[in-house]
Amino acid sequence: MTATGVPQAYVTGWKGFYRREFAVNEHVLVPRPETEHLIEDALEFMRTPGRRRVLDVGTGSGAIACTIASEVSDAIVTASDVSLPALIVAARNAARLGVAERCTFALADIAPEGEDGYDLILANLPYIPSADVPQKPDPVGFEPRLATDGGGDGLDEYRKLLARAPSLVHAGALLLMEAAPPTIIGLLTLAQATFPVAAITVHRDYAYLERYVRIATR
Ligand SMILES: C[S@@+](CC[C@H](N)C(=O)[O-])C[C@H]1O[C@@H](n2cnc3c(N)ncnc32)[C@H](O)[C@@H]1O
């Protein structure tokens, strides 16, 4: 960060994520290295032939969507966001990285209507409880509130995703949802209630913090 707290990436306009540079501005969350754990898990899953259709919920800069499209040459990615300025950044990143033809960017709450049958859903939705969202000069305070504020208990957007998730995927699909220690047990409980027969696990990051919930549907 800079002396004023502004994230360095907003000053340079760039942030590295999983071996690529992403253009960023104040309309998107600065991609975090912790999110690369979801990428690793997703890439392993996508190695099985026939798994192609991917949904990135809350794409922001497009870091997740563009990385999956870049690493998996036949992946077809839909990336949603409720922020039009964020989608413009994401679409530009896809064009620059040469994956625009296999990425669709949709202004949508969780997911475009009428689409289903995804093999893989990745989501890094806002998960900080409203009262805990850091304020300036904390660097997170410079990031879009839409990207950080998860409502009263931090799980408002994940509740919306899980309400729709069963109709978005088929048996054998994978869902990866990023959160952080204060909210991850709540997210795990929601996931278990939504997918009672799925294999659901919590995974940690390199700092040994609980980082994402993994749902393998049956
Ligand atoms: C934490 S940021 C993650 C950005 C990016 N996926 C990443 O990992 O760097 C969350 C993003 O979700 C978007 N968002 C918030 N609520 C949403 C919703 N209901 N449907 C789709 N996107 C949403 C925000 O605008 C923001 O871009």
Side-chain angles (χ1 to χ4, degrees):
M1 70 169 170
T2 61
T4 55
V6 176
Q8 190 69 33
Y10 289 162
V11 177
T12 63
W14 295 96
K15 178 69 183 178
F17 179 80
Y18 207 84
R19 299 200 288 257
R20 291 171 187 84
E21 286 292 311
F22 284 83
V24 295
N25 63 24
E26 72 281 7
H27 298 300
V28 301
L29 186 96
V30 177
R32 306 290 205 270
E34 299 89 276
T35 305
E36 295 176 341
H37 290 284
L38 282 75
I39 298 288
E40 294 281 6
D41 201 334
L43 294 180
E44 180 65 33
F45 176 79
M46 292 296 281
R47 281 208 184 102
T48 299
R51 292 173 174 167
R52 298 181 68 219
R53 294 199 53 227
V54 180
L55 174 64
D56 172 23
V57 184
T59 196
S61 65
I64 293 174
C66 297
T67 300
I68 298 292
S70 300
E71 295 282 335
V72 183
S73 59
D74 62 348
I76 305 295
V77 183
T78 298
S80 70
D81 210 293
V82 289
S83 162
L84 183 59
L87 288 167
I88 291 169
V89 174
R92 285 190 183 142
N93 278 320
R96 202 176 39 77
L97 292 167
V99 294
E101 280 185 7
R102 288 182 291 109
C103 293
T104 302
F105 294 96
L107 184 62
D109 190 355
I110 303 299
E113 294 297 332
E115 288 195 18
D116 58 14
Y118 291 106
D119 301 300
L120 169 66
I121 296 180
L122 299 112
N124 182 15
L125 284 163
Y127 54 75
I128 305 175
S130 303
D132 300 338
V133 175
Q135 305 294 313
K136 296 173 182 175
D138 187 298
V140 176
F142 291 85
E143 296 184 284
R145 190 95 191 178
L146 263 181
T148 55
D149 186 346
D153 67 354
L155 291 170
D156 282 3
E157 303 311 315
Y158 276 118
R159 251 182 224 101
K160 282 199 236 168
L161 169 57
L162 284 166
R164 287 187 60 191
S167 64
L168 293 171
V169 296
H170 55 70
L174 182 69
L175 291 88
L176 304 174
M177 302 181 295
E178 181 168 336
T183 41
I184 203 142
I185 296 306
L187 182 56
L188 173 66
T189 305
L190 281 174
Q192 289 168 332
T194 308
F195 291 98
V197 300
I200 304 180
T201 43
V202 172
H203 296 256
R204 293 175 186 267
D205 61 22
Y206 289 132
Y208 210 59
L209 298 173
E210 293 150 325
R211 184 53 61 190
Y212 71 96
V213 172
R214 181 184 204 274
I215 306 174
T217 69
R218 298 191 232 257

